Amino acid sequence: MIHSHEFEIGGKTLSLETGRVANQAGGAVLLGIGETVILGVATMSDNPRPGVDFLPLTCDYEERKYSVGKIPGGFMKRGGRPSEKATLVSRLMDRPLRPLFPKGLRNDIQVIAMPFSVDQDAPPDVHAITAAGAALSVSDVPFKYPVAGVRVGLIDDEFILYPSIAQIKASKLDLVVAGHEGAISMVEAGASEVTEEVMVEALKFAHDAIKVIVKEIAIFAKMVNKPKKEVALHSIDEGVKKAIDKKYGKDIQKALLGAKDKAMRESALDDIIKDIVTKMKPDYADQPELAAQLHEAADTVVKGVVRDLIIKKDARPDGRKLDEIRPLSAAAGLLPKVHGSGLFSRGQTQVMTVATLGLPGDAQTMDGLEDEEPRRYMHFYNFPAYSVGEVRPMRGPGRREIGHGALAERALRSVIPLDDPNFPYTLLLISEVLESNGSTSMASVCGSTLALMDAGIQIKAPVAGIAMGLMSDGKVFKVLTDIQGMEDFCGDMDFKVAGTRAGITALQLDTKLDGIPDDVLKQALAQAKTARMQIIDVIEEEISEPRATVGASAPQVTTIQINPEKIGALIGPGGAMIKKITATSGASIDVQQDGKVLVGGNGGEQVKAAIDMIMAAVGDIPVGGEYVGKVTRIIGRGALVEFSGGREGMVLKNQISVNEFGRIEEVLNVGDELTVSVHEVDGQGRVNLTAIGLKQSLPALAGNENGTPPAPEPGGGDRDRRGGGDRGGRGGFGGGGGRDRGGDRGGDRGGDRGGRDRGGYGGGSRDRGPREDRPREDRAREDRPAAEAPPVSAPSVPDSFPSRNGDDDTNARFRPRR
């Protein structure tokens, strides 16, 4: 049976439907808003997974390119591994759902959100959270409350619910919030230095919208009225836990407070747990099911002792106050050769971030469901096993690494001058976690600030980050500043806040509770601001402002402007010109569509050499100008000469010498230098040259006073009675009907073969040796002026091979062969 429900939210209609598709899943919902349609499904296994001490929940956001009318690119046309965006959205789904399953549930649960259709005015990522929450609500999977997600933007000091992609780009705030009627359970945000007061208002605005949506989902679920499955929940015997706490509680407390070092503390606790299991196992010899719980029960007691110390005594394992930060240190520029580096340490958490500068052409284009511009700023986060003293294979990044990298990237995006038209760089920051004991993602933010300032990137202000924690018994809430690993493991919240002195640039909230009260979030933001100021003080003591210039090893970038119509001349056929400039100068060149050219090199000499060649390639060539050039190719009808910084022109055979000679190689060879004069630049920018003198011995020139051969007549036809029978004519260097099949295969199709190529240097002549050796009719035809030359007829072909234009077009570029 199909059940449907619609309601208004934020001026938009949101629809829910179940019973139409995926009826064998535990629960399936089609969510629609605008022209975006998302399928959310939730399914649970019949039996618990043996041997696990956690909830085996998997959340997947499945992108399908058909939803935006795209075919996947690359060699693999079938969808491959999840994109970075899909991984981040999967995390957005998982984090608010996980705390709301019954405690002790060990059945495998899979929640999938799949966009079927995507409207760019209704981005699907945040609606995937609502679709997943609705699917669980109408499913047979045990679940506490309906969950929904919303996105909030801030434009002109007004909050916008569900902003479009265009509005997100213009917004000072991109806030994603998920929760239920009682509280907020997940926050993810990027901002442009938004104050704590504005952020609190935005969170309240988001939660008010969530309350409306979850009430409607509850109505929808009641309409469907699907019963929940009865499942066995794993639990630890309370008697066992009380016995361990009574006998070993004080020993556990002593081990926790007696060691200031993470490794020593964890080693002491491991020893105590092993000792507990060994000594108490005989007490449960006749109850093997309870004996099997001893290790897990001891671990639970340790967590309980940590929580009681903080909630009841304000005592943290390392002796700090609740709002105290661990010792800080910062160092910029430790690494030679790299473009920028920063090492940041907070207690036993240490991160090295390295910045690399590139040109705009190095930006990454993301092939996703949403229209995205190429990324000119990227941050990658690596978490090797040695950072926590463990051994495991080095593999690609997991969901955690991708999420932490994206958070640090978002924290710094608003202070990097990416929108400045004079900022020429693409930036890649890589954070290597060297040591970990809590909040390495926020240490990556601090390390990135140091690396950017060391690299000479003129950021708006230094950014720092801190992780806040929470311990609560349901009545008392204790907010912790700068949580370490044990407090994160035993606590109820991980609230990361990054920003400048002026305001917040990024937020991330995860919780193990059903939700966090608004006043607790407000207190956490206030404590985080105080800590952030202290960290920025340490950063500024090391490097007070960005270095004035980029480092010597970084690309030296100069921006020049050329006429956009000259871009083709700069690129050259098949990229030949720009490849030659980069190969010769060693510089990197990035050409923009508006004619802006960014030239980067390892030194000023490379950049200057490249700019000189660029200007020579795109500059106007004056008729009559004289240049020294070098012969690059010889074809039947003349020689190609490179001059003026890489430009290429043609010296026709009759413009080389007035003396008679047979083949051009008799007087001129590849690599020879000669002085040439420009006598014509045609409408396509091709240059005709006349030789003035050679840098090698040639037969004495005769004919006029300075020995210069006569200039050709306009039109390209050759009337020289002593040359090589050039029948060039139509189309400059490349036109004409010649059929010289010499060895050089230059030009568009084949160099000397001519005939069929009318656009380049390659065609246009049939070199047949000295004139007196040829029939009289050939010589007579050469004597006619070019304008009077008869048209060249197409070869005789059967009627079944008509010309391209459907008539007897003798000038057709493509003709059938005999």
Side-chain angles (χ1 to χ4, degrees), residues 611-690:
I611 291 176
D612 290 343
M613 296 178 72
I614 290 170
M615 299 311 296
V618 302
D620 294 332
I621 301 295
V623 174
E626 295 185 2
Y627 303 91
V628 175
K630 180 181 291 187
V631 178
T632 58
R633 280 189 296 158
I634 294 176
I635 59 179
R637 61 192 305 263
L640 294 175
V641 176
E642 180 186 296
F643 69 102
S644 185
R647 295 287 287 268
E648 201 169 46
M650 168 71 84
V651 181
L652 295 176
K653 188 173 183 179
N654 68 314
Q655 298 299 305
I656 295 175
S657 172
V658 295
N659 289 350
E660 290 190 13
F661 56 89
R663 299 183 61 82
I664 296 176
E665 288 84 348
E666 296 177 12
V667 294
L668 203 60
N669 290 293
V670 173
D672 289 346
E673 291 186 351
L674 69 162
T675 302
V676 293
S677 172
V678 178
H679 68 75
E680 180 187 13
V681 180
D682 67 11
Q684 299 182 35
R686 295 173 298 191
V687 182
N688 292 327
L689 303 171
T690 298

Side-chain angles (χ1 to χ4, degrees), residues 285-319:
D286 56 344
Q287 295 175 294
E289 68 280 359
L290 296 182
Q293 294 183 3
L294 283 173
H295 191 283
E296 188 176 357
D299 192 58
T300 303
V301 171
V302 170
K303 291 174 65 176
V305 171
V306 173
R307 295 175 60 83
D308 286 345
L309 285 172
I310 293 175
I311 294 172
K312 297 177 180 179
K313 300 181 180 180
D314 289 354
R316 302 175 71 171
D318 58 0

